[in-house]
């Protein structure tokens, strides 16, 4: 008679409430034998085949008629052997399929799963995880270094670094540079490097190219011991069409929609998950919790959310829902359920959405009909900002709204500002190459772009290579241009980014009030179209805790720029993008700046300072009178 616990697990998988489905399905070692289970509800027959039975049909599996789960127990396999499921479809054809719940797959181009039992790890990151549970990341600095694990660095023989290598070199690098988190593009198994990991086949399997599951566990642990959080990209909306993976798993629409029109993802040549199916919900939510718990990752960035919540997002014919709208109600319900379950289990897990529209509330409470994410990528900010910086400065005066428009909606969501991998490939040019002008001016503007990223309300993300101004576009099959750092300008740019990251982490005015962005910023002048100078204040909780940012987006230096200030007193310059140590021409920062009375509509005091061309400065109150009238 079947174990009662197994019955409950099967039934809850069937109803979409089994959030640890990997403990039921896949392969599991029980004493001296293994049990294999796979969900293939419309299969005529399923066999377990592998190196242990010479890929023969000698191990037929038994079907649970209620759940469509097939099972077999055998003592034939040994650890490390390969296996697949051979599925006889309704039309009589037989197809070899990989195990959707495999935690390890053989190296490409092979597609077999590996009989693999990972020993329980004795983690040493308890102090970091304990601090994270007690920390409110909305009110803490969040500065993410985004990277593709397979191309951050290569060995001398042309092979990419594994997570064992990255533990030794990436972790100390990120710590030295002052980032709070890293974000990894998908690390799950995928058949084609050109997809960068966004066309998945093995959702529970670490990509074999990057090493073993144990090595990835150790990598995350090393990050935590260095006080660095780890976020992974995840793709629950669509999956790879390869016939040996989960596509039409039992010969019918299993993980995908039955309706071919809804199942096919034309834009990416993929298949869309049927997010209305309870079994698919169990599969995907289990997968999210698996990465959070088994690997101790700190957060998940959900890719292509728009594709999941809008019926008309893809390049094909579509039908409105029963309400007559373009919303994918199945996708919305799934994402709300996903975030509810994740937050119930791990309230401190960081859930991030890559979503490009404003029609659906993405971040915020489920009770307010939001999707429940913590942060949303602000792709509008990214597109407008980069368009502005690519522009000839002579044309920028009439386009200052490209920078200021984002302040109009910054309270609509909890935003993360991304300068991501998507913007440095496919002929879009690197961040450095996007900048206008000669090489010196490009570096000057890249420095200004990065300080603008830090000054704007919202959490931060920068893709690898941008920190030192790599000129070439990112290539998924090559390492970064580390030899660039032999050039004094690139090295100075890297040191600039490091120093800027230090300022971001140490100045509470840049993140303390970001749950309410409107309270954290005050404009001095957002309409200086003639000089193309933007100035504003970032504020902390205490009245005297504030920073003043002055940006000069023109190619002209202003040697006696009058800047209104909120209080009388002395202000000091704490950061200047044009210092020689950063690649500029200034040998020292400006002396303390004393305010003088002025007749200004907003403030009654002002200071005079030099504002560098294509540069920016940060000012901080040194000795001010808080009782003076504005």
């Amino acid at each position: 008679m079947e174990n009662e616990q197994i019955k409950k697990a099967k039934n809850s998988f069937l109803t979409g409430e089994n959030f640890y489905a990997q403990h039921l399905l896949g392969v599991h070692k029980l004493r001296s034998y293994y049990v294999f289970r796979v969900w293939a509800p419309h299969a005529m027959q399923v066999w377990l085949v592998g190196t242990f039975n010479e890929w023969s049909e000698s191990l037929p599996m038994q079907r649970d008629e209620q759940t469509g789960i097939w099972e077999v127990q055998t003592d034939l396999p040994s650890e490390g052997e390969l296996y697949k499921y051979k599925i006889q479809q309704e039309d009589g054809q037989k197809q070899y399929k990989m195990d959707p719940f495999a935690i390890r797959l053989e190296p490409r181009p092979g597609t077999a799963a590996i009989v693999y039992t990972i020993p329980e790890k004795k983690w040493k990151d308890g102090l970091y995880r304990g601090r994270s549970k007690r920390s409110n990341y909305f009110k803490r600095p969040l500065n993410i270094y985004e990277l593709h694990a397979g191309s951050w660095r290569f060995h001398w023989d042309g092979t990419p670094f594994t997570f064992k290598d990255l533990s030794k070199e990436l972790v100390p690098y990120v710590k030295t540079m002052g980032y709070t988190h890293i974000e990894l593009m998908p690390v799950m198994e995928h058949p084609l490097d050109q997809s960068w990991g966004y066309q998945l086949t093995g959702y529970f399997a670490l990509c074999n190219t990057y090493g073993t599951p144990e090595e990835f566990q150790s990598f995350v642990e090393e990050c935590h011991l260095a006080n660095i959080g780890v976020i992974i990209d995840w793709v629950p909306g669509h999956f790879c069409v390869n016939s040996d993976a989960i596509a039409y798993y039992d010969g019918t629409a299993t993980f995908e929609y039955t309706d071919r029109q809804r199942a096919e993802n034309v834009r990416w040549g993929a298949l869309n998950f049927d997010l209305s199916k309870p079994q698919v919900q169990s599969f995907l939510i289990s997968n999210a919790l698996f990465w959070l718990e088994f690997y101790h990752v700190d957060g998940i960035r959900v890719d292509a959310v728009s594709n999941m919540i809008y019926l008309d997002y893809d390049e094909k014919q579509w039908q409105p829902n029963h309400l007559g709208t373009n919303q994918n109600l199945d996708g919305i319900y799934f994402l709300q359920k996903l975030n509810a379950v994740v937050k119930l289990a791990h309230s401190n897990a960081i859930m991030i959405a890559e979503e490009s529209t404003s029609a659906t509330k993405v971040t915020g409470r489920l009770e307010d009909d939001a999707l429940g994410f913590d942060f949303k990528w602000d792709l509008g900010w990214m597109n407008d900002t980069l368009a502005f910086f690519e522009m000839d400065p002579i044309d920028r005066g009439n386009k200052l709204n490209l920078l200021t428009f984002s302040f109009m909606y910054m309270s609509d969501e909890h935003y993360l500002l991304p300068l991501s991998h998507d913007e440095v490939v496919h002929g879009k040019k690197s961040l450095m190459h996007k900048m206008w002008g000669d090489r010196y001016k490009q570096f000057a503007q890249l420095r200004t772009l990065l300080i603008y990223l830090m000054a704007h309300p919202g959490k931060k993300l920068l893709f690898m290579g941008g920190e030192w101004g790599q000129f070439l576009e990112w290539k998924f099959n090559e390492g970064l241009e580390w030899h660039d750092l032999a050039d004094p300008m690139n090295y100075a740019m890297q040191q600039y980014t490091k120093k800027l990251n230090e300022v971001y982490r140490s100045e509470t005015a840049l993140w303390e009030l970001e749950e309410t962005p409107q309270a954290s910023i005050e404009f001095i002048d957002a309409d200086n179209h003639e000089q193309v100078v933007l100035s504003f204040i970032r504020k902390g909780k205490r009245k005297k805790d504030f920073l003043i940012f002055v940006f000069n987006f023109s190619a002209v230096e202003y040697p006696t720029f009058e800047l209104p200030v909120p209080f009388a007193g002395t202000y000091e310059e704490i950061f200047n993008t044009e210092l020689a140590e950063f690649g500029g021409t200034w040998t020292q920062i400006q002396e303390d700046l004393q305010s003088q009375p002025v007749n200004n509509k907003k403030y009654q005091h002002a200071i005079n300072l030099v504002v560098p061309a294509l540069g920016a400065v940060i000012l901080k109150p040194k000795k001010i009178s808080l009782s003076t009238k504005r």
Side-chain angles (χ1 to χ4, degrees), residues 66-68 92 138 152 171 197 253 258 296 308 460 464 492 497 575 612 616:
Q66 181 182 358
T67 62
F138 288 105
W152 185 73
V171 175
T258 303
H296 282 201
M308 302 171 70
K460 326 297 178 185
M464 63 183 193
T497 305
F575 201 84

Side-chain angles (χ1 to χ4, degrees), residues 177-340:
M177 290 298 296
Y179 292 97
T180 65
H181 291 70
I182 62 168
E183 181 179 317
L184 295 162
M185 293 164 69
V187 296
M188 302 84 179
E189 193 61 78
H190 52 281
L192 191 66
D193 287 335
Q194 286 90 329
S195 76
W196 313 336
Y198 292 101
Q199 295 272 4
L200 298 180
T201 50
Y203 273 75
F204 287 84
L206 180 76
C207 180
N208 211 297
T209 303
Y210 303 150
T212 68
E214 294 96 323
E215 288 172 348
F216 185 54
Q217 285 181 323
S218 295
F219 170 78
V220 174
E221 183 175 71
E222 288 299 317
C223 287
H224 289 172
L225 293 176
N227 204 32
I228 300 166
V230 180
I231 298 166
I232 57 169
D233 281 12
W234 184 53
V235 193
H238 61 276
F239 56 91
C240 183
V241 298
N242 284 19
S243 60
D244 51 11
I246 64 174
Y248 294 98
Y249 196 77
D250 61 10
T252 67
T254 309
F255 290 90
E256 57 279 276
Y257 287 98
T258 303
D259 182 349
R260 281 269 182 178
Q261 191 176 46
R262 293 192 69 183
E264 292 178 357
N265 190 309
V266 175
R267 179 174 300 205
W268 295 309
L271 289 168
N272 292 319
F273 278 107
D274 183 349
L275 300 173
S276 70
K277 287 182 181 177
Q279 300 93 331
V280 172
Q281 294 171 13
S282 287
F283 173 76
L284 289 173
I285 296 176
S286 295
N287 188 240
L289 291 178
F290 170 76
W291 289 94
L292 288 167
E293 296 177 1
F294 187 77
Y295 289 112
H296 282 201
V297 301
D298 302 280
I300 294 173
R301 178 263 200 186
V302 179
D303 183 64
V305 168
S306 295
N307 178 63
M308 302 171 70
I309 62 176
Y310 297 113
L311 297 168
D312 59 347
Y313 183 75
D314 199 12
E315 302 163 353
K316 62 184 180 184
Q317 295 294 318
W318 65 281
Q319 295 293 324
N321 61 34
H322 70 278
L323 300 175
T325 73
N326 68 336
Q327 287 186 308
N328 181 356
L329 301 178
D330 301 332
I332 290 173
Y333 171 78
F334 166 75
L335 290 171
Q336 290 176 327
K337 181 177 179 178
L338 165 72
N339 284 315

Side-chain angles (χ1 to χ4, degrees), residues 13 65 126 198 235 279 311 418 428 488 516 535 595:
F13 177 77
E65 295 298 331
Y198 292 101
V235 193
Q279 300 93 331
L311 297 168
K428 293 181 182 179
T516 52
S535 53
S595 70

Side-chain angles (χ1 to χ4, degrees), residues 63-132:
R63 173 188 169 93
D64 181 327
E65 295 298 331
Q66 181 182 358
T67 62
I69 293 175
W70 297 76
E71 177 179 332
V72 67
Q73 296 180 4
T74 175
D75 60 1
L76 290 179
S78 300
E79 287 288 304
E81 293 204 71
L82 304 180
Y83 74 96
K84 289 187 178 184
Y85 297 116
K86 188 175 183 180
I87 297 178
Q88 184 177 20
Q89 304 169 356
E90 284 184 322
D91 61 3
Q93 294 189 42
K94 296 177 181 179
Q95 176 74 46
Y96 289 98
K97 290 283 191 176
M98 65 173 59
D99 185 351
F101 286 87
I103 59 173
R104 197 167 182 200
L105 298 174
E106 67 173 325
R108 288 178 268 164
T111 59
I114 301 175
V115 178
Y116 200 75
T117 304
I118 302 176
E120 185 174 350
K121 180 175 175 59
K122 294 181 179 179
W123 290 87
K124 302 174 184 176
D125 61 351
L127 182 61
Y128 177 87
R129 284 165 64 83
R131 283 198 307 265
S132 296

Side-chain angles (χ1 to χ4, degrees), residues 305-491:
V305 168
S306 295
N307 178 63
M308 302 171 70
I309 62 176
Y310 297 113
L311 297 168
D312 59 347
Y313 183 75
D314 199 12
E315 302 163 353
K316 62 184 180 184
Q317 295 294 318
W318 65 281
Q319 295 293 324
N321 61 34
H322 70 278
L323 300 175
T325 73
N326 68 336
Q327 287 186 308
N328 181 356
L329 301 178
D330 301 332
I332 290 173
Y333 171 78
F334 166 75
L335 290 171
Q336 290 176 327
K337 181 177 179 178
L338 165 72
N339 284 315
V341 172
V342 167
K343 288 298 182 179
L344 184 63
H346 304 282
S347 60
N348 61 314
I350 304 172
M351 299 297 289
I352 303 170
E354 187 225 10
E355 208 279 306
S356 56
T357 73
S358 58
T360 301
K361 179 73 171 171
V362 172
T363 63
R365 302 189 313 163
L366 297 173
E367 298 91 319
D368 297 328
D369 209 27
L371 297 183
F373 285 96
D374 295 310
F375 300 105
K376 171 184 175 177
W377 273 25
D378 191 348
L379 299 174
W381 173 89
M382 178 193 69
N383 290 325
D384 288 348
T385 299
L386 292 178
F388 183 86
F389 273 86
E390 289 183 74
M391 195 179 296
D392 189 319
I394 202 170
D395 300 320
R396 290 176 179 174
N398 296 324
K399 295 294 184 179
L400 199 56
N401 64 300
L402 285 173
L403 295 186
T404 57
F405 178 67
S406 57
F407 295 101
M408 304 293 291
Y409 64 80
M410 65 183 176
S411 295
D412 293 351
E413 304 269 11
H414 293 301
Y415 285 110
L416 188 152
L417 310 177
L419 294 173
S420 74
H421 65 276
D422 276 326
E423 301 313 304
V424 295
V425 290
H426 299 325
K428 293 181 182 179
K429 300 186 290 190
S430 67
L431 289 183
M432 175 68 173
H433 197 181
K434 292 177 193 289
M435 301 297 104
W436 168 87
D438 59 28
R439 192 164 185 265
Y440 179 85
K441 292 184 177 69
Q442 287 180 321
F443 272 112
Q445 290 175 102
L446 183 58
R447 294 193 296 268
T448 304
L449 171 64
L450 295 191
I451 195 173
Y452 182 66
L453 167 70
M454 292 301 169
H456 195 293
K459 305 307 183 184
K460 326 297 178 185
L461 180 143
L462 179 66
F463 185 60
M464 63 183 193
E467 73 269 25
W468 72 71
Q470 176 170 307
F471 189 81
L472 296 178
E473 281 190 342
W474 166 60
K475 299 180 180 66
F476 70 89
N477 57 349
E478 296 181 15
L480 294 180
E481 302 286 323
W482 291 96
H483 57 78
D484 283 352
L485 294 175
D487 185 298
M489 291 296 287
N490 288 110
Y491 179 77

